[in-house]
Amino acid sequence: MCLGVPGRILEIDGSNAVVDFWGVRRRVSLDVVDEPVAAGDHVLVHVGFAIRRIAPEDLAETLAFFEAMTAEDLEGLRK
Amino acid sequence: MTDDRVELAHGAGGRAMRALIESVFLAGVTDPEARAMGDGAAIPLGDKWLVLTTDAHVVAPIFFPGGDIGRLSVSGVVNDLAMMGACDVLALTSSVIVEEGFPLEALARVQRSMQLACEEAHTRIVTGDTKVMRRGELDGLVLSTSGVGLTDRVVRDSGLEPGDAIVVTGTLGDHGLAVLSARNALGLEGDLRSDVAPLNGLVRGALAAGGAAIHAMKDPTRGGVTSALTEMAEKAGVSILLDESALPMSAPGRAAAELLGIDPLAVANEGKALLGVHPSALASVLAALHAHPLGRLAACIGRVTEGEKGSVLLDTGFGTRRLFERDGDPLPRIC
Amino acid sequence: MNAKLEFRDVSRGRALQARLDRAMARANRDVTVMHVCGSHEQAIARYGLRARFPANLHVKMGPGCPVCVTDAPEIDACVALAERGLRILTYGDMVRVPGRAKSLEDARAAGARVEVIYAATQAAELAAATNEPVIFFATGFETTAVPTAAVLLRDPPLNLFVLSAHKWVPAAMEVVASSPDSRIEGYLAAGHAATITGCGIFEPFVEKHRRPVVVAGFEPLDILSGLVVLVEQILEGKAEVANAFPRCVTREGNRRALDALFRVFEMGDGEWRGIARVPLGDLRLRPEFAAHDATVRFAAELAAAPAVEPRADAAECRCGAIMTGQLQPTDCRHFGKGCRPDAPIGACMVSTEGACRIWYEHGSPS
């Protein structure tokens, strides 16, 4: 029930959107997403509702967080 | 599950089904051919083997993306024969049990689909039977198909040996995921299609390339790869270690599995084979598979080891876990 | 997909495992933490992470499975309505969960109409297509309560009635942390629920209990990095809220979603199955939505429901102790024997997010 899946908005029709999940598409409600979204944006989807826009800078922040946490040990593992 | 009635799980291809067969259908049966519980039976005939198999098919919906019950019934029987080495399929029989009120147009579509699948498999349906049941006594349509083939060497699903490579002939889970999303009206759109196809041509090529180095074969239908490999490992008294990063998946299959929370190893394939191959012949068998249109994405996905008998393990890269057969069909976790 | 694959990068996973190993080796003592989300356990099992946790790090499973904490009388109420011939819609995992005597599946086998839906919007669509009353048995935490609220705020059909068993996760953490025998030194909080509530919601909890809370996502790197941050805080004697899921979670959360949630629901004390009475743990429909509240519309039918005779083995179910981290599934004598996914005694063996079901299907780590 807590299966949240990220997808990319293909088109918006009022308060609904067609969201692409790596090649599979599904209609999703935009009723509770809390910032403006547009085609091309990534959103986190739960039981048919987008609950969050995933901004590219937030994605970058997560990746940078992994980078920072693993840099030292990655070096160690390569040795 | 109650112990005194047949339940849906008894038909789902896993432990419950094998328990039902052993406790009811094999009770008092001593014939080793029947007790082998293979995909078919092999009967000596001169210097060859006559391979015989039968399969009943029910599917909802009857028409699904990538196929229908007709294509499924022909492919199912042809593949069971091919898995035992009988790639030349002499003939099929077809029994049709249909519910009163079933549209004739749909029945004709199913029949055409069976014909096309026969042409692909270079075989034919030579006899059949039809029964009609009263409305409500049956859900639409049941097909029961049998087939015979000849082979010089019988391949069993029990022949795995430690050191063998486990090869799969293409992407995993497509049939189960396509039918699941069609059945549950999940509103998924995309190119998610069943892989249902007769495999005798593909397997003929692999056997020509690998010969006796192909120790075992099985098609991962109901219960998926997990169920098929567990049964193979149990029968051979070996363990199997799979490498998750090597598992071939179609892009829509991978997406649907993620989206629905379904384990692609636990759902049915209807156009794939698992092969246990001695490492000496691995390269030539893979080359033969890759040369066939149905085997372009064939891959070595694991190894047979001498670990705990009957166990199938998956190395995720992060850790290793044991795969367990599920009882019953998986439900989408999307809920 | 590409980004998703980066969150499954094996070499980075190994690096995080090495960092966790190093921290726990330095600690040279046992550390017990708890995650509060069934999807965390799912991912831990799915990627085989548990077998590689350092031996002195104990990761307990908390009350994080919404299906499992739905109280048996709540299911009994729905079964009673189903047995009156009313049409029931619910999420798939709920169908097999036993109430005190029966599950919705049992009712369906005896002829009741129980249908599975996959999105809250389906409830409104199915109701709009008929004139008869349609009851949506709505369960789950914040992540599913918000969609239920959104449906009720968008002019739902008059024949749609919601039987709410929605629950509010932060309330349950309070109960677990307040339990006197709690040896839990830190918590891994559910990233998707926190996407809605915001991680700021855990600040009073951290202040009160002096235990760190780290919000983590559900990819293997999310979980491992969340554990590293949590363990490092514990070993340094810190107790802070940390956000290890910044691509979805903010401090404030999703204001629009929270607004919808609290326009439709209010908190009330409620029984969480096998755990305790959780103060402010239930989400009930506000009086303004009485016209869609199944407990109002069918009050007479619910009051007239026959008394339920509990099944004998229910008393031996250990789900409550498992969901509060006191026991592991393998500690229960029914696990995998009398209690299996196809013949469950407790809710934890039914839900795909239940600890027992996950351990049964993925193998218990030894």
Side-chain angles (χ1 to χ4, degrees):
Chain A
M1 202 174 289
C2 294
L3 188 70
V5 188
R8 191 170 54 92
I9 295 180
L10 292 179
E11 57 184 59
I12 295 179
D13 167 21
S15 65
N16 290 301
V18 177
V19 176
D20 172 70
F21 303 90
W22 322 288
V24 171
R25 294 174 299 282
R26 190 164 184 245
R27 258 181 106 67
V28 162
S29 166
L30 299 175
D31 271 355
V32 298
V33 73
D34 61 343
E35 53 186 309
V37 289
D41 281 351
H42 282 83
V43 285
L44 179 66
V45 176
H46 258 271
V47 287
F49 281 76
I51 61 167
R52 163 91 184 154
R53 172 174 175 262
I54 307 173
E57 55 271 25
D58 295 338
L59 205 58
E61 192 183 334
T62 302
L63 294 174
F65 170 71
F66 290 150
E67 181 77 38
M69 292 203 50
T70 57
E72 190 186 324
D73 287 286
L74 271 181
E75 201 53 40
L77 285 173
R78 284 197 190 103
K79 277 174 192 161
Chain B
M1 193 183 296
T2 55
D3 293 328
D4 56 352
R5 303 272 172 196
V6 173
E7 309 237 338
L8 278 173
H10 284 130
R15 274 169 304 197
M17 191 182 83
R18 291 208 295 280
L20 177 78
I21 293 172
E22 277 170 26
S23 66
V24 177
F25 296 113
L26 288 179
V29 174
T30 53
D31 181 346
E33 191 59 48
R35 294 212 70 90
M37 287 170 72
D39 289 322
I43 297 160
L45 190 77
D47 59 347
K48 286 181 183 283
W49 294 86
L50 180 76
V51 181
L52 176 66
T53 191
T54 187
D55 223 339
H57 284 92
V58 287
V59 63
I62 283 170
F63 300 93
F64 48 83
D68 57 54
I69 191 171
R71 183 171 176 79
L72 195 60
S73 72
V74 170
S75 303
V77 167
V78 168
N79 294 348
D80 280 351
L81 295 173
M83 291 308 106
M84 296 187 74
C87 297
D88 295 316
V89 179
L90 300 177
L92 306 182
T93 72
S94 170
S95 290
V96 179
I97 309 171
V98 62
E99 184 186 12
E100 177 192 14
F102 192 83
L104 277 177
E105 172 273 332
L107 203 55
R109 273 168 72 198
V110 168
Q111 197 277 339
R112 272 196 302 280
S113 175
M114 293 177 81
Q115 283 302 331
L116 284 173
C118 282
E119 284 167 26
E120 273 177 66
H122 298 285
T123 189
R124 60 213 171 111
I125 297 170
V126 290
T127 184
D129 185 40
T130 308
K131 290 280 182 295
V132 179
M133 309 242 331
R134 264 190 285 268
R135 197 184 293 269
E137 290 181 351
L138 180 80
D139 186 12
L141 184 63
V142 177
L143 297 183
S144 177
T145 311
S146 299
V148 285
L150 280 177
T151 185
D152 295 327
R153 184 176 80 93
V154 175
V155 182
R156 301 279 183 180
D157 60 6
S158 57
L160 290 180
E161 291 175 16
D164 283 354
I166 298 291
V167 169
V168 69
T169 59
T171 58
L172 297 175
D174 298 297
H175 175 78
L177 289 163
V179 169
L180 189 79
S181 47
R183 180 183 308 162
N184 291 298
L186 299 178
L188 299 188
E189 294 164 33
D191 200 19
L192 185 62
R193 296 168 67 80
S194 166
D195 60 346
V196 56
L199 293 174
N200 53 334
L202 175 71
V203 172
R204 185 186 291 115
L207 285 171
I214 295 180
H215 291 158
M217 292 194 286
K218 192 169 188 64
D219 52 345
T221 55
R222 287 169 308 173
V225 167
T226 298
S227 203
L229 288 181
T230 301
E231 199 177 332
M232 291 173 90
E234 277 173 2
K235 286 181 175 176
V238 296
S239 174
I240 295 170
L241 177 62
L242 298 180
D243 173 5
E244 184 166 25
S245 66
L247 302 177
M249 293 277 296
S250 69
R254 196 181 288 275
E258 285 287 336
L259 202 54
L260 304 176
I262 296 280
D263 176 2
L265 294 175
V267 295
N269 307 271
E270 294 293 347
K272 297 295 165 354
L274 293 162
L275 287 71
V277 183
H278 189 273
S280 62
L282 177 59
S284 59
V285 168
L286 278 175
L289 291 171
H290 290 158
H292 191 280
L294 292 175
R296 284 199 319 273
L297 297 176
C300 173
I301 59 171
R303 298 267 162 200
V304 179
T305 73
E306 291 179 15
E308 188 188 335
K309 290 183 168 98
S311 65
V312 181
L313 306 171
L314 179 72
D315 180 357
T316 68
F318 296 91
T320 298
R321 67 179 167 98
R322 184 165 174 179
L323 300 178
F324 287 86
E325 286 184 83
R326 315 269 163 108
D327 288 314
D329 282 330
L331 274 177
R333 225 188 114 215
I334 193 169
C335 68
Chain C
M1 200 58 178
N2 290 336
K4 198 152 186 101
L5 290 180
E6 290 186 66
F7 303 130
R8 293 177 188 175
D9 180 272
V10 169
S11 57
R12 285 206 191 278
R14 295 246 165 86
L16 288 167
Q17 284 167 330
R19 184 160 171 171
L20 198 56
D21 288 344
R22 220 174 40 235
M24 289 307 298
R26 250 195 340 260
N28 197 27
R29 68 174 179 88
D30 283 27
V31 171
T32 301
V33 300
M34 175 182 272
H35 66 70
V36 200
C37 181
S39 289
H40 277 153
E41 189 61 29
Q42 263 278 343
I44 287 169
R46 156 82 183 75
Y47 292 98
L49 300 181
R50 198 174 276 280
R52 290 234 189 128
F53 286 158
N56 55 342
L57 174 65
H58 309 286
V59 181
K60 302 275 186 187
M61 298 163 277
C65 162
V67 173
C68 308
V69 301
T70 302
D71 203 26
E74 292 178 298
I75 294 166
D76 294 341
C78 193
V79 167
L81 295 180
E83 288 182 335
R84 297 287 295 230
L86 291 155
R87 185 172 169 203
I88 308 288
L89 312 177
T90 193
Y91 294 128
D93 273 0
M94 288 311 303
V95 175
R96 274 193 165 170
V97 183
R100 277 173 297 185
K102 287 184 202 165
S103 66
L104 286 168
E105 186 172 60
D106 296 332
R108 182 165 66 186
R113 293 180 296 162
V114 178
E115 296 161 46
V116 170
I117 60 171
Y118 301 94
T121 43
Q122 268 181 286
E125 289 161 15
L126 290 170
T130 176
N131 290 321
E132 67 171 334
V134 170
I135 298 171
F136 174 29
F137 185 37
T139 59
F141 296 137
E142 294 87 302
T143 43
T144 51
V146 166
T148 303
V151 166
L152 286 179
L153 288 170
R154 187 171 272 280
D155 289 330
L158 294 173
N159 57 334
L160 176 66
F161 301 94
V162 171
L163 184 62
S164 171
H166 284 304
K167 314 245 177 238
W168 179 248
V169 181
M173 285 178 64
E174 188 62 40
V175 169
V176 172
S178 304
S179 116
D181 59 348
S182 180
R183 282 162 301 157
I184 293 149
E185 295 185 64
Y187 296 84
L188 209 58
H192 292 156
T195 302
I196 288 175
T197 60
C199 59
I201 197 163
F202 299 113
E203 287 167 8
F205 176 91
V206 165
E207 186 78 18
K208 179 176 169 193
H209 296 285
R210 307 301 310 151
R211 298 275 187 263
V213 173
V214 176
V215 174
F218 303 93
E219 295 295 332
L221 295 196
D222 290 324
I223 290 174
L224 289 169
S225 59
L227 281 173
V228 168
V229 173
L230 185 61
V231 163
E232 290 182 353
Q233 274 206 42
I234 291 168
L235 297 178
E236 287 166 22
K238 286 190 196 158
E240 293 166 5
V241 175
N243 182 1
F245 194 37
R247 66 185 181 277
C248 288
V249 175
T250 59
R251 185 171 177 276
E252 296 74 26
N254 181 336
R255 286 296 175 88
R256 191 172 169 201
L258 282 174
D259 176 64
L261 180 74
F262 287 111
R263 272 168 66 198
V264 172
F265 293 104
E266 60 189 4
M267 291 168 174
D269 300 351
E271 211 53 56
W272 285 38
R273 185 172 192 154
I275 299 179
R277 190 157 184 85
V278 177
L280 304 182
D282 278 12
L283 293 170
R284 298 186 189 138
L285 289 177
R286 288 184 181 277
E288 299 92 293
F289 292 88
H292 292 286
D293 189 338
T295 63
V296 175
R297 168 66 178 78
F298 302 105
E301 286 83 350
L302 289 169
V308 174
E309 198 60 49
R311 49 186 282 184
D313 50 7
E316 293 179 24
C317 176
R318 311 301 290 152
C319 284
I322 290 165
M323 282 188 287
T324 47
Q326 298 162 48
L327 293 180
Q328 295 193 329
T330 41
D331 296 330
C332 173
R333 69 187 185 91
H334 294 293
F335 176 76
K337 301 183 183 84
C339 183
R340 303 186 309 274
D342 58 324
I345 295 173
C348 293
M349 189 54 96
V350 178
S351 170
T352 49
E353 287 160 32
C356 296
R357 166 96 179 257
I358 293 169
W359 282 36
Y360 183 86
E361 290 192 338
H362 292 90
S364 48
S366 47

